[in-house]
Amino acid sequence: MAKKIMIIDGGPRKNFNTASMLQAFAEGAKSANNEIEVKIVRLYDIVYKGCMSCMACKIKGKASNICKFKDALTPILEEIAQADGLVLGSPIYFGQITGQMQSFLERLAFPWLSYNDYSLTAPKKIPVVLIETMNGLPDNNNSQGYGSMEYCITTALGQPEHINAYNTYQVKSYDRFELASFSEEAKRHYRDENWEKDLQKASEAGRKMAENIRS
């Protein structure tokens, strides 16, 4: 059976920081093994909701660890259940992952949770990488990462790898926006020193995941 890595982009901008990091990951994975399918899904392109509390995944005799609510997210969740690797990427807003990513994770993780014994069981264990892009610095940021959802991911899928890109550009031209508290010069200097390294980290993580899946 063909192997697949699912990459979930929880950012709103198609060609900016988070998208670039995820694209670098995908290219790294493909460079290691072009027989592995690498699929990027942009959550902002899909019309869906968070958990609807329909409890269909908990019906006696029909319990499922895949969300049963039907909408545009359903086939993606079903693909993840069969995938061999999972990558989640989100910018950090107000210290949190985006609302779209949070809603996606509700739909992904709630079916894993058993209310009989509070165990968390995914369809299968697979490697996971969590990517964050943020305005904050490594030693000065308010990111709470993937929050309590990381516990669910770790318990059900396995310990994730983290890749963070800090002090990222918020816009391409700071002259156009009211962003006087930020120094574009300082941002540019940090980016010149670190951005290519961040992309390389993402690419290397993709290569490593593909190699591990192949082996």
Side-chain angles (χ1 to χ4, degrees):
M1 181 181 292
K3 303 292 187 179
K4 178 184 282 190
I5 296 173
M6 292 291 290
I7 299 177
I8 309 299
D9 183 351
R13 296 194 275 187
K14 295 182 178 181
N15 299 300
F16 224 57
N17 302 310
T18 303
S20 296
M21 291 285 284
L22 294 175
Q23 185 60 43
F25 186 101
E27 291 171 1
K30 292 174 183 177
S31 72
N33 188 345
N34 59 16
E35 295 181 359
I36 294 178
E37 181 183 354
V38 181
K39 182 173 182 177
I40 298 177
V41 176
R42 295 197 70 256
L43 295 179
Y44 276 78
D45 289 343
I46 304 167
V47 178
Y48 67 98
K49 300 178 185 299
C51 179
M52 297 297 290
S53 196
C54 65
M55 303 301 282
C57 63
K58 308 284 189 266
I59 295 174
K60 288 184 176 180
K62 298 180 180 180
S64 171
N65 52 13
I66 305 172
C67 179
K68 306 304 289 183
F69 185 80
K70 302 300 183 184
D71 63 7
L73 195 59
T74 305
I76 296 164
L77 295 170
E78 291 172 347
E79 280 188 87
I80 292 171
Q82 299 298 319
D84 303 281
L86 177 63
V87 184
L88 307 178
S90 177
I92 298 300
Y93 297 157
F94 293 97
Q96 308 282 345
I97 54 176
T98 61
Q100 277 74 9
M101 179 60 79
Q102 179 66 30
S103 293
F104 161 81
L105 287 172
E106 289 177 1
R107 295 277 298 280
L108 179 70
F110 185 60
W112 299 342
L113 175 64
S114 168
Y115 277 144
N116 292 327
D117 59 7
Y118 288 95
S119 61
L120 285 155
T121 307
K124 63 178 180 179
K125 298 275 189 179
I126 56 174
V128 182
V129 171
L130 304 179
I131 292 177
E132 301 171 38
T133 62
M134 68 189 77
N135 181 52
L137 292 164
D139 58 353
N140 184 19
N141 68 82
N142 66 348
S143 174
Q144 299 176 38
Y146 285 76
S148 61
M149 286 299 181
E150 184 168 345
Y151 170 80
C152 298
I153 291 167
T154 301
T155 304
L157 297 179
Q159 184 68 46
E161 177 182 354
H162 290 265
I163 302 174
N164 294 346
Y166 298 98
N167 202 16
T168 53
Y169 265 27
Q170 299 143 298
V171 294
K172 292 183 178 179
S173 174
Y174 279 72
D175 292 337
R176 292 186 58 209
F177 300 93
E178 296 287 353
L179 297 168
S181 63
F182 299 101
S183 165
E184 183 175 7
E185 181 179 358
K187 283 273 191 184
R188 184 169 58 252
H189 178 73
Y190 188 94
R191 185 181 180 88
D192 289 346
E193 289 286 325
N194 294 280
W195 181 237
E196 290 301 322
K197 296 177 184 177
D198 292 335
L199 292 175
Q200 185 57 41
K201 284 189 294 184
S203 177
E204 178 63 20
R207 183 193 63 78
K208 184 174 69 173
M209 180 182 284
E211 288 180 346
N212 290 340
I213 289 172
R214 181 176 57 186
S215 62

